[in-house]
Amino acid sequence: MQFATPLIPARLIRRYKRFLSDMRLDDGTEVVAHCANPGSMMGLAEPGMKVWLEPNDDPKKKLKYGWRLVDHENGHFTGVDTSVPNRALKAAFMAHQVAGLDYDLVRPEVKYGENSRIDFLLTGQGPDTYVEVKSVTLSRKAGLAEFPDSVTTRGAKHLRELSQMVRDGHRAVMLYLVQRTDCAGFTLAADIDAAYAQAFRDARAAGVEVMVFDCAISPLGVDIRNPLDFVAP
């Protein structure tokens, strides 16, 4: 998945009100950028960090920049836009490039459960497959990605709804997309949200499958890459 508009580098001044961030462009101009990430962004929102912004000229948008990447300045990137995984996965699904999830029909945002929408409903081979997607950006130990980065009651609810789909005779997959290029494994941040960790264990016991993939990330775009190992917390 390529970014629609070429990204430009900047430095983070501050993130505030969750969805806003002040940035300084290379020419010294200060701008406000939209931050499409409701999480804590632990370790990714320190003033002075190098970031990449996507400019836009859409008259319907109040902010003319969107924060897309953190550049760790060591050859690695983290994608901070939580809408990117679904866009990248849709492209990969349509191209039949996701191992274990090769289906004829890909339907995003289908209503199910308790006033919820599943990220993807895949049909065409075997039972209907419900796929919930989570963007993973936290890493507190070198090489190990973690989810979640803050308490997520909504995430626990999604796991319970996936469990119900299994009980109803469908296939259900919890897919974690690690939006970091510096991690080789994935685990749960049970110390951050013990209730989510318990919901995860319950879902696996109920038959919900767990898949983890990493990404190739650059200022040009984000592409699904390889499966990662799940490390029990």
Side-chain angles (χ1 to χ4, degrees), residues 57-179:
D57 56 5
D58 187 342
K60 296 181 181 179
K61 292 185 177 180
K62 293 182 179 180
L63 300 179
K64 298 306 177 184
Y65 297 89
W67 182 4
R68 300 292 178 254
L69 306 177
V70 167
D71 187 333
H72 297 285
E73 301 189 81
N74 59 2
H76 290 291
F77 296 89
T78 296
V80 299
D81 184 343
T82 57
S83 72
V84 164
N86 284 42
R87 290 158 55 198
L89 273 166
K90 183 179 180 181
F93 283 142
M94 298 300 290
H96 303 279
Q97 294 176 339
V98 183
L101 293 174
D102 188 359
Y103 286 77
D104 293 334
L105 184 60
V106 178
R107 297 169 59 198
E109 297 292 320
V110 176
K111 290 183 178 180
Y112 89 122
E114 303 170 14
N115 298 315
S116 295
R117 290 179 181 271
I118 193 68
D119 287 315
F120 295 100
L121 176 57
L122 310 180
T123 58
Q125 284 89 13
D128 291 351
T129 297
Y130 290 76
V131 181
E132 182 68 29
V133 180
K134 296 300 180 189
S135 173
V136 181
T137 61
L138 176 63
S139 178
R140 295 176 293 177
K141 180 180 178 181
L144 187 63
E146 301 175 88
F147 184 87
D149 67 357
S150 58
V151 174
T152 172
T153 54
R154 184 167 176 264
K157 174 176 178 282
H158 289 157
L159 287 169
R160 291 192 295 271
E161 289 170 334
L162 288 176
S163 299
Q164 185 59 51
M165 292 302 101
V166 174
R167 287 191 286 269
D168 290 344
H170 306 296
R171 183 186 180 195
V173 177
M174 182 65 249
L175 193 154
Y176 297 95
L177 193 63
V178 177
Q179 280 206 87

Side-chain angles (χ1 to χ4, degrees), residues 11-12 37 58 61 68 123 174 202 220 225:
R11 292 282 174 180
L12 174 64
N37 191 318
D58 187 342
K61 292 185 177 180
R68 300 292 178 254
T123 58
M174 182 65 249
D202 292 344
L220 297 177
R225 195 168 55 175

